[in-house]
Amino acid sequence: FSISYGTGLWPWLVTSSLLGLALSNALWGWTLTADTWQPTFAAFVSLPAAMVLLFGGGWKVTLNGAVLGALLVTPCCLLMVNFVCLPLGLPVVIGNVLGMALGSALAFGLCRCVPVLVKSQVEPIVEKPAARPKPDYGVIWTLRRVLAD
């Protein structure tokens, strides 16, 4: 069954997300104390996957998505949580979601200014996808969809 919206980019998406998580933890792990936590998961669930889905697979996009996720998303989340949410008594989920949005906006702006981060010299040949039969939306389909999502 199709995952990653049926794009076929699942291996690139997971690779970029896992690399972003590992790099984020390596770069920002020092912010973790016994009384606090760090949103390194934010680099896993946001920018790397979005970059792969938007710009396609390949090592350039995969690695740049992971690096930008660790360099931009995690610190944005840390700043929002520690300097906005905690002082104002807001739930930390607000800071994490705002940090993911802000970090992703910065990364996509950077990709727009420096397109070599996500585009190769050779334009890929895009094939027209084959027609697929309409799925049966029964119980089995629902269970498979839940697992895929």
Side-chain angles (χ1 to χ4, degrees):
F1 54 89
S2 62
I3 52 178
S4 299
Y5 305 100
T7 61
L9 296 171
W10 183 81
W12 295 111
L13 190 145
V14 170
T15 301
S16 186
S17 293
L18 287 173
L19 287 172
L21 176 64
L23 186 57
S24 177
N25 194 33
L27 291 175
W28 303 104
W30 61 270
T31 64
L32 185 63
T33 66
D35 298 328
T36 62
W37 63 277
Q38 57 176 326
T40 53
F41 72 91
F44 180 82
V45 300
S46 61
L47 181 63
M51 282 190 62
V52 169
L53 288 173
L54 185 63
F55 297 114
W59 285 110
K60 183 184 281 192
V61 173
T62 298
L63 294 175
N64 284 324
V67 169
L68 290 174
L71 291 178
L72 297 174
V73 172
T74 302
C76 284
C77 290
L78 285 168
L79 290 171
M80 291 300 231
V81 167
N82 293 324
F83 295 107
V84 176
C85 292
L86 294 180
L88 295 176
L90 298 171
V92 295
V93 69
I94 294 171
N96 287 324
V97 172
L98 285 174
M100 286 188 277
L102 180 61
S104 296
L106 290 171
F108 287 126
L110 181 64
C111 290
R112 185 180 190 126
C113 293
V114 186
V116 72
L117 291 174
V118 291
K119 294 190 180 184
S120 62
Q121 300 290 353
V122 179
E123 290 296 319
I125 298 172
V126 179
E127 294 181 18
K128 185 177 178 183
R132 296 188 303 188
K134 186 174 180 177
D136 176 24
Y137 295 107
V139 174
I140 300 297
W141 179 89
T142 303
L143 292 174
R144 289 173 45 180
R145 190 72 253 155
V146 167
L147 288 174
D149 288 343

